């Protein structure tokens, strides 16, 4: 029977929150998105690219949390 509740990730005797895996996934997805935006030269249309990075990271964290890991 599958457990629907989030549980800690263990690495040896150290336990990590499931939020850590959500944030790592969101960070790497955001980095790939920013690289893609820079390659396509779409980042020049943004007024403040660091804010766009934070916005994408927040969006990816919410989507990963909602549909994949469910923290």
């Amino acid at each position: 029977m599958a457990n629907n509740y989030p549980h800690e990730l263990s690495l040896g005797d150290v336990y990590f929150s499931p939020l850590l895996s959500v944030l790592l996934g969101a960070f790497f997805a955001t980095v790939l998105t920013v690289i893609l935006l820079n390659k396509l030269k779409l980042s020049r249309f943004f007024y403040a690219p660091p804010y766009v990075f934070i916005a994408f990271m927040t969006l990816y964290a919410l989507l990963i949390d909602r549909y994949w890991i469910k923290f």
Side-chain angles (χ1 to χ4, degrees), residues 8-62:
E8 293 86 13
L9 305 168
S10 63
L11 184 64
D13 290 334
V14 179
Y15 292 102
F16 296 103
S17 171
L19 183 61
L20 179 67
S21 59
V22 170
L23 291 178
L24 282 174
F27 177 75
F28 289 123
T30 303
V31 167
L32 290 174
T33 302
V34 167
I35 289 172
L36 183 66
L37 286 173
N38 286 336
K39 291 277 185 189
L40 296 174
K41 297 185 190 221
L42 295 173
S43 60
R44 63 187 167 128
F45 294 114
F46 297 120
Y47 175 71
Y51 293 144
V52 174
F53 185 88
I54 292 172
F56 271 120
M57 188 161 169
T58 304
L59 178 68
Y60 281 130
L62 289 173

